[in-house]
Amino acid sequence: MNEKIIFDCDEVDYLQELLNISFGSSAAIISDMLDTFVTLHIPKIELVHIDNIQGYINDSFDISQDYYVFAQQFRGDIEGEALFISKFESMKNLSNAVNEEGVNEDDIQGIIELSSELLNIVNPATIKRMATEINKNVFFSQPSVKSIKSNELVNNTNIINYQTIIVISTVLDFQTEDIEGKLYILLKENTIMLIKQAAADFFNLEEE
Amino acid sequence: MRILIVDDSKVARINVKRAIPKHMMEINIIDIARNGQEAIDKFKEEPYDLVFMDLTMPIKNGYEATKEIVALGKKVYIIIVTADIQNNGVKLAMESGADSVIEKPIDKNKLNRSLIEFFKRDKKE
């Protein structure tokens, strides 16, 4: 299907609130795990059609940098993949937040493993909460992490298999460390239609 | 009785309205504000008895707006309605002068408990 899926203002608002609740729940988990306070920022949500994704990526990322992509597929009533994309610096900060003793900058594998531990909780928690809010079930596959140049993001990930990509840009602002990342939620068309239906049901119940 | 619902999300504002017991809806004036600054401006024009306040909002967040509304010295009961359920977040919300905190999505029983406290205090004063 090449038809562009469009979200109207109410549907975007519905999705935004759904994600606010989901991120709030993830932040609480991180806060408990690391005994720190995570300042929540309003996530910026953009819907990008696959035809425009390369241009969007070129505008969003520094072409000279390598990025770490933490990918995790999900299946069930809702289907898709979550990609958390961030620079090495943020992955390092994330590892420092996980390991109080600090990390060795040269230990790239160690940094990946430590940051993955946290992302393996944050990403599923966010998606699971989102699914629960619309009364759907979801299951997660094993995550993978790889280092990719921004101009290879489309070809080296599963982005190409999706029509509409929901990009959520946010900063996990820890008390001590700044961790910036973009969370790409790739959703199958049937899942996008489920979210649109959930929004329609919500607004049909009663107008403000 | 005058009620103000402060949230940048239309969905969240509708959720608060839906959670308020029906009998309260019938006898009250319910206004909305889309950010903390708009809430302060509306409150200054004519105070509200009960404010439902989100925390994460553009222009002015709920912590700052709550502090400024409380500093006006008018009788008001502020219920923070937030997705940010970290312990420290709840502590900060209460320190800003809020009277209670309930998490999103709203649990009607928890809201009712907050409203009972509000009515008790309203009666005393």
Side-chain angles (χ1 to χ4, degrees):
Chain A
M1 190 169 121
N2 290 319
E3 207 175 300
K4 285 189 183 181
I5 297 172
I6 294 166
F7 276 56
D8 65 25
C9 291
D10 282 349
E11 287 168 338
V12 170
D13 191 69
Y14 182 82
L15 188 58
Q16 177 107 38
E17 189 59 11
L18 202 57
L19 288 162
N20 274 340
I21 290 170
S22 307
F23 268 117
S25 162
S26 300
I29 293 169
I30 299 170
S31 170
D32 282 350
M33 269 179 67
L34 305 181
D35 197 21
T36 186
F37 181 58
V38 184
T39 303
L40 284 185
H41 297 275
I42 302 167
K44 186 180 167 199
I45 296 175
E46 292 164 282
L47 296 154
V48 187
H49 190 263
I50 189 65
D51 292 347
N52 306 323
I53 194 70
Q54 189 60 62
Y56 178 87
I57 285 172
N58 292 346
D59 292 343
S60 310
F61 295 97
D62 179 349
I63 205 150
S64 64
Q65 290 256 358
D66 282 350
Y67 287 86
Y68 282 84
V69 180
F70 180 91
Q72 194 158 25
Q73 289 185 342
F74 48 90
R75 294 193 188 86
D77 296 332
I78 68 167
E79 291 185 307
E81 185 165 349
L83 302 179
F84 185 86
I85 305 172
S86 70
K87 285 183 188 170
F88 180 71
E89 197 62 23
S90 282
M91 296 291 271
K92 198 180 74 193
N93 290 344
L94 198 56
S95 308
N96 274 323
V98 177
N99 185 357
E100 281 175 359
E101 290 164 12
V103 291
N104 178 351
E105 277 196 34
D106 301 325
D107 182 9
I108 295 174
Q109 194 53 37
I111 287 171
I112 289 173
E113 277 171 21
L114 276 172
S115 48
S116 296
E117 263 183 47
L118 193 65
L119 289 173
N120 195 17
I121 293 168
V122 174
N123 281 358
T126 306
I127 303 293
K128 182 135 189 110
R129 186 62 196 255
M130 189 175 100
T132 305
E133 286 303 309
I134 55 172
N135 299 314
K136 303 293 174 200
N137 288 313
V138 65
F139 310 97
F140 298 88
S141 64
Q142 202 62 22
S144 66
V145 189
K146 51 185 168 182
S147 167
I148 304 175
K149 288 221 179 294
S150 67
N151 57 357
E152 293 164 357
L153 270 173
V154 175
N155 292 330
N156 277 337
T157 62
N158 287 327
I159 289 177
I160 200 80
N161 298 327
Y162 294 83
Q163 286 292 317
T164 303
I165 293 103
I166 299 174
V167 181
I168 303 156
S169 316
T170 192
V171 181
L172 293 175
D173 193 356
F174 287 66
Q175 247 165 351
T176 49
E177 313 273 6
D178 270 0
I179 294 138
E180 271 186 66
K182 273 182 190 277
L183 178 62
Y184 279 38
I185 299 182
L186 314 171
L187 298 173
K188 298 277 186 193
E189 276 172 42
N190 58 342
T191 301
I192 293 177
M193 298 320 284
L194 273 177
I195 292 173
K196 285 173 84 74
Q197 187 56 51
D201 292 345
F202 177 87
F203 285 106
N204 283 341
L205 205 61
E206 183 190 334
E207 278 304 309
E208 190 177 24
Chain B
M1 187 187 300
R2 291 165 50 78
I3 297 174
L4 182 64
I5 300 171
V6 191
D7 204 305
D8 54 319
S9 162
K10 182 181 173 184
V11 168
R13 294 194 301 268
I14 292 175
N15 276 330
V16 172
K17 271 190 188 176
R18 285 180 184 166
I20 296 173
K22 284 277 177 289
H23 66 272
M24 279 186 74
M25 294 286 285
E26 286 158 14
I27 55 166
N28 293 298
I29 292 166
I30 299 184
D31 280 340
I32 61 159
R34 290 172 182 81
N35 60 64
Q37 188 56 54
E38 198 181 324
I40 294 162
D41 295 342
K42 285 197 169 183
F43 197 94
K44 279 179 182 169
E45 272 173 30
E46 200 172 345
Y48 293 85
D49 305 287
L50 180 61
V51 175
F52 292 92
M53 178 78 76
D54 182 28
L55 288 179
T56 313
M57 291 182 288
I59 303 172
K60 187 162 279 183
N61 67 37
Y63 297 111
E64 291 172 33
T66 299
K67 271 185 201 163
E68 288 189 39
I69 287 173
V70 169
L72 294 171
K74 304 281 183 190
K75 194 180 92 173
V76 59
Y77 194 91
I78 301 178
I79 300 175
I80 301 287
V81 184
T82 181
D84 188 357
I85 50 171
Q86 300 169 80
N87 290 333
N88 200 28
V90 172
K91 189 172 154 250
L92 284 175
M94 296 303 282
E95 281 171 3
S96 71
D99 296 284
S100 75
V101 178
I102 55 174
E103 70 183 77
K104 292 178 180 178
I106 299 171
D107 176 329
K108 285 191 182 181
N109 291 326
K110 283 185 187 164
L111 174 62
N112 283 340
R113 282 200 286 276
S114 288
L115 291 174
I116 288 167
E117 286 305 312
F118 160 64
F119 283 119
K120 270 189 201 165
R121 201 179 75 174
D122 199 47
K123 231 175 183 180
K124 269 188 206 164
E125 290 169 7

